Amino acid sequence: MNYTISQYGASLRASTLGAELCSYIDATRQERIWPGQADIWPGHAPVLFPLVGAPKNGEVRFAGKAYPVRKHGFLASREFTLVEQGSNFLHFAAEADEETRASYPYAFAVHILHFLRPDGFMTEFRVQNCDIRPMPYCIGGHPGFCCPMEPDAVFEDYLLRFEKPETGEIVVCPDGELIRGHEFLPALAGGQELSLSHTYFDEKDALIFPALASRQVDLIHRESRRGIRFQFADFDVLGVWTKPGVRADYLCLEPWVGLNAYADETGNFEDKPFVRTVQPGETHTLRYSTTLLS
């Protein structure tokens, strides 16, 4: 079921399926979220949990026991409950059950909130440990933004402008599955701007930045400088992706706690980079936000 809220001249729509944000229409009536297309990428802004990226051999081990899990985990296909709706927010929640324990052996609750703001929107994740043991987890956002955003513009008219100078380090994950090393993007090394090109994604699948100095990046037109500002202070990694080989008009900016599996990793979930652990009875809260730049 879909729920819509309107405030500040804008509207936001989200679904109980995965608590996914499906639409954000700004005050000028412009859609900012990729509407989804079955033959390209049907998603809008799925939530990744308890795994980010692909596992090794289709499984991970918790306390030495192997559990099957698919890429990006299972939360995007879970039905959530609408807990509360306000004039400027939607609050969804889902809990563990027998099906989730087959892949992730912990009692948990995940709350996802979407907020309308005067100049954009914010998404909040709350990861609650309902178990009697410390609970390791990964979590990530996967919002897809329409790009281009201006009439007569094309994807290649846009660039990413990072908050701080960056080395350009990315992980090498050419098939979108296992990480097989690291490399550096010469076009970004030591700078703050990276011009967009579909060629990057045709060659590398995704640009996954594991060591950014920035926690803010602008997706903007190179001349008008209009676009969006994406802030992700609570996350460790930024993934940048659009489907290779199709030249689609969207770009995903993905804030992650976690990474794809390394080809040579142990397979133990606790050993994965950027895994966080929430103690029994405690809750971790993480937020990312999108601000319109005009």
Side-chain angles (χ1 to χ4, degrees):
M1 181 177 292
N2 291 332
Y3 292 88
T4 301
I5 52 175
S6 299
Q7 187 83 311
Y8 314 116
S11 66
L12 180 153
R13 176 168 51 88
S15 172
T16 53
L17 182 62
E20 184 175 10
L21 174 68
C22 301
S23 171
Y24 170 75
I25 298 176
D26 67 23
T28 71
R29 311 315 298 160
Q30 182 176 353
E31 177 63 80
R32 299 290 184 154
I33 297 296
W34 169 249
Q37 189 170 325
D39 60 343
I40 297 178
W41 181 57
H44 314 284
V47 179
L48 321 179
F49 178 90
L51 186 75
V52 167
K56 185 177 180 180
N57 300 323
E59 64 181 29
V60 294
R61 289 197 298 272
F62 296 96
K65 183 179 177 180
Y67 293 81
V69 63
R70 60 179 179 268
K71 185 176 181 179
H72 292 327
F74 51 70
L75 207 62
S77 61
R78 301 290 296 173
E79 192 68 25
F80 279 66
T81 299
L82 180 69
V83 176
E84 188 177 6
Q85 176 177 346
S87 60
N88 70 330
F89 73 91
L90 295 168
H91 177 184
F92 301 93
E95 298 180 352
D97 58 20
E98 290 186 9
E99 184 178 353
T100 66
R101 288 188 179 93
S103 294
Y104 183 62
Y106 297 94
F108 68 86
V110 173
H111 294 253
I112 299 176
L113 295 88
H114 301 294
F115 296 88
L116 271 172
R117 307 170 84 181
D119 54 359
F121 66 90
M122 180 177 72
T123 294
E124 176 178 298
F125 302 147
R126 300 176 188 169
V127 181
Q128 181 181 1
N129 184 352
C130 305
D131 213 302
I132 60 173
R133 305 163 291 171
M135 186 178 84
Y137 72 93
C138 295
I139 194 166
H142 198 316
F145 296 96
C146 296
C147 183
M149 307 177 206
E150 298 184 30
D152 302 320
V154 297
F155 185 87
E156 286 75 10
D157 290 334
Y158 287 78
L159 58 83
L160 295 175
R161 179 172 175 79
F162 291 88
E163 176 186 18
K164 300 176 182 179
E166 299 293 348
T167 65
E169 181 183 359
I170 60 171
V171 299
V172 177
C173 191
D175 58 0
E177 299 296 321
L178 301 183
I179 297 171
R180 303 185 183 279
H182 291 235
E183 65 181 42
F184 292 85
L185 295 174
L188 182 59
Q192 292 175 254
E193 294 189 352
L194 179 68
S195 295
L196 291 185
S197 170
H198 281 291
T199 302
Y200 283 127
F201 307 99
D202 295 342
E203 294 177 351
K204 304 178 186 299
D205 184 80
L207 303 180
I208 302 173
F209 296 93
L212 288 175
S214 304
R215 286 299 176 270
Q216 172 181 298
V217 62
D218 297 344
L219 172 59
I220 54 176
H221 191 282
R222 67 175 68 253
E223 295 180 359
S224 72
R225 313 307 274 189
R226 290 193 294 266
I228 61 170
R229 173 163 292 165
F230 190 74
Q231 295 174 300
F232 54 103
D234 297 327
F235 297 83
D236 302 307
V237 176
L238 181 69
V240 179
W241 177 81
T242 187
K243 186 173 181 178
V246 297
R247 302 298 197 264
D249 290 338
Y250 73 92
L251 187 74
C252 292
L253 300 176
E254 307 178 32
W256 292 354
V257 170
L259 270 178
N260 289 47
Y262 280 81
D264 59 353
E265 75 173 30
T266 65
N268 297 323
F269 192 85
E270 297 85 350
D271 296 339
K272 293 176 68 62
F274 305 112
V275 165
R276 296 189 188 177
T277 300
V278 56
Q279 297 302 316
E282 294 187 354
T283 299
H284 286 183
T285 300
L286 308 92
R287 304 179 181 94
Y288 68 83
S289 65
T290 301
T291 303
L292 304 180
L293 300 176
S294 58

